[in-house]
Amino acid sequence: MSDPVVVLDDLRDESDELDRLVSELSEERWGTPTPAPGWTVAHQIAHLAWTDRAALLAATDAEAFAAEAGKALAAPDRFVDEGAEEGAKLPPVELLARWRDGRERLQDALRAVPPGARFPWYGPPMSAPAMATARLMETWAHGQDVADALGVVRTPTARLRHVAWIGHRARDYAYLVRGLPAPTEPFRVELVAPGGELWVYGPEDAGQRVTGSALDFCLLVTQRVHRADTALLAVGPDAAHWLTIAQAFAGPAGPGRTAEEDR
């Protein structure tokens, strides 16, 4: 995992990039539908603001977070949409201010967490660097939805290394949330970064392998693209199957995206 200061700085940069994308939008364009069914640009930003608040509670008030987590367990299929819907009803200027304030508070809180400390989350307990990595992954993924909705092509950056790392790290979780046994042997993942260098995860002699561009891999593990619409290559049946269910986020398995040829 990256140095905590580095990943927190990258989280801030990723958030600022998305902020620039939405800050000058008209109120009408905040209502633009995104690829996520039923979600507009406003829903995407509202979800990030809502999740930042949950992360802040987890890092600073475990009891309050436990109460929020209890609500999620009581309505696992609704709580994410309900949180986004509540925020999306706000005037855009108010929603934007809420998101900015919440993410800044979270930055301060995560920078203050003692090294090695862990706090609760919807999945496994998190350290501050792991939480920052997860927040960057979500910010990038929901930012992709916003960019797609607005017809903007984003330039991939080296910040994708955090998304790729958590995507590989969460391999077994994708099986767990589907009630499937995880493969017993490690995988090798080799990704070509935006700058042309190679990012590698897993032992060099692993029989199950995934290769391709870091962008394709990150889009896939955040379920922003269908497996058929990537150029990722899998060697071995377990690696091939993983690419059909991979997810880098905590919570129930999502339905994923429809392949372009089926739209």
Side-chain angles (χ1 to χ4, degrees), residues 24-251:
E24 300 300 323
L25 293 179
S26 65
E27 185 165 351
E28 181 181 12
R29 295 204 77 191
W30 277 82
T32 303
T34 68
W39 279 31
T40 64
V41 170
H43 285 83
Q44 300 286 349
I45 300 302
H47 173 71
L48 291 175
W50 179 90
T51 316
D52 283 345
R53 175 182 174 274
L56 179 62
L57 285 178
T60 61
D61 190 337
E63 185 174 339
F65 176 76
E68 290 296 316
K71 296 176 184 177
L73 289 173
D77 297 327
R78 302 196 313 272
F79 80 101
V80 170
D81 285 333
E82 289 174 353
E85 185 65 33
E86 179 183 356
K89 294 177 182 177
L90 297 172
V93 64
E94 186 176 342
L95 173 56
L96 188 57
R98 176 181 291 190
W99 178 44
R100 288 171 173 168
D101 179 68
R103 71 186 201 239
E104 193 61 35
R105 288 174 181 267
L106 180 59
Q107 277 273 339
D108 292 342
L110 292 180
R111 291 178 189 273
V113 172
R118 301 177 74 83
F119 40 85
W121 192 236
Y122 297 105
M126 291 280 210
S127 65
M131 177 61 78
T133 303
R135 297 307 307 129
L136 191 153
M137 176 271 296
E138 276 225 77
T139 302
W140 179 81
H142 290 283
Q144 186 64 45
D145 288 340
V146 172
D148 287 344
L150 300 176
V152 173
V153 178
R154 301 191 299 176
T155 300
T157 73
R159 295 190 297 270
L160 284 180
R161 68 189 185 278
H162 305 297
V163 183
W165 180 88
I166 201 172
H168 170 261
R169 184 80 171 177
R171 186 200 73 171
D172 289 359
Y173 185 75
Y175 290 87
L176 176 66
V177 295
R178 290 167 174 80
L180 300 172
T184 57
E185 60 180 300
F187 289 6
R188 175 77 164 183
V189 177
E190 299 181 351
L191 305 173
V192 180
E197 67 273 24
L198 199 63
W199 295 339
V200 297
Y201 311 92
E204 188 173 359
D205 61 350
Q208 305 288 324
R209 309 173 76 87
V210 171
T211 60
S213 78
L215 178 59
D216 273 0
F217 183 77
C218 292
L219 288 169
L220 185 69
V221 298
T222 56
Q223 296 189 358
R224 263 55 192 181
V225 70
H226 190 275
R227 166 73 178 93
D229 296 324
T230 74
L232 295 170
L233 299 177
V235 175
D238 288 341
H241 179 241
W242 175 47
L243 292 185
T244 68
I245 65 170
Q247 70 176 70
F249 51 88

